[in-house]
Amino acid sequence: QHWTARPSAAHEYVGQAALTARDSLDEVRRVVSDLAPADLADGSGAALEAALYRTGEQVALDSGISVSVRIHGEPQPISPEVSTALLRCARGALANVVEHAAATEATVSLTYQPESVSLDVRDNGIGFDPASFTPGPTRGRGLTGIDHRAQHFGGRSAVESAPGEGTVLAVLIPITAPR
């Protein structure tokens, strides 16, 4: 109603609405990030593995990209929080593959080590230059979010890629991660 009669007031209302929407979205993301999927609550490595297989199957079904999941090492108990973080990292990495990589294949590898667990997501896509990567405004948190999630649990992430050579995202988190 005010758009033509009182444009400055109308612009102020739109600005307030946009700010409220951004704040609400940030709050929802905080709430969601604190929720662990129910099937990971038992803390077994088997639950995480099953969730990774389901995620790979769903991504393949939705995108047409061939997704394989590989498990290495002796499965160990993992806290539900670390399992959730690893699952979310895998989902985020696969979302990047679907959206940006122009890949036909992706491989998710979960490797148990005595003190840590690692997750690698590799694709055969177009790759990019990580040194010149600048995160932009996106729907999700992307590579930056994956790195923050790993650091939150005392871990780290790394990206290896080059134009035309695909991408590997690696996440390493201690099994007994600090909180």
Side-chain angles (χ1 to χ4, degrees), residues 2 4 10 13 22 24 27 32 49 66 77 79 112 114 155 176 179:
H2 294 293
T4 54
Y13 295 146
R22 275 193 299 274
S24 296
E27 182 64 23
V32 168
E49 294 167 22
S66 174
S79 74
Y112 295 96
T176 54
R179 297 220 51 220

Side-chain angles (χ1 to χ4, degrees), residues 100-102 123-133 159-168:
H100 304 293
D123 70 62
N124 69 345
I126 59 173
F128 68 102
D129 178 7
S132 64
F133 172 72
V159 176
E160 293 181 19
S161 186
E165 296 186 17
T167 300
V168 178

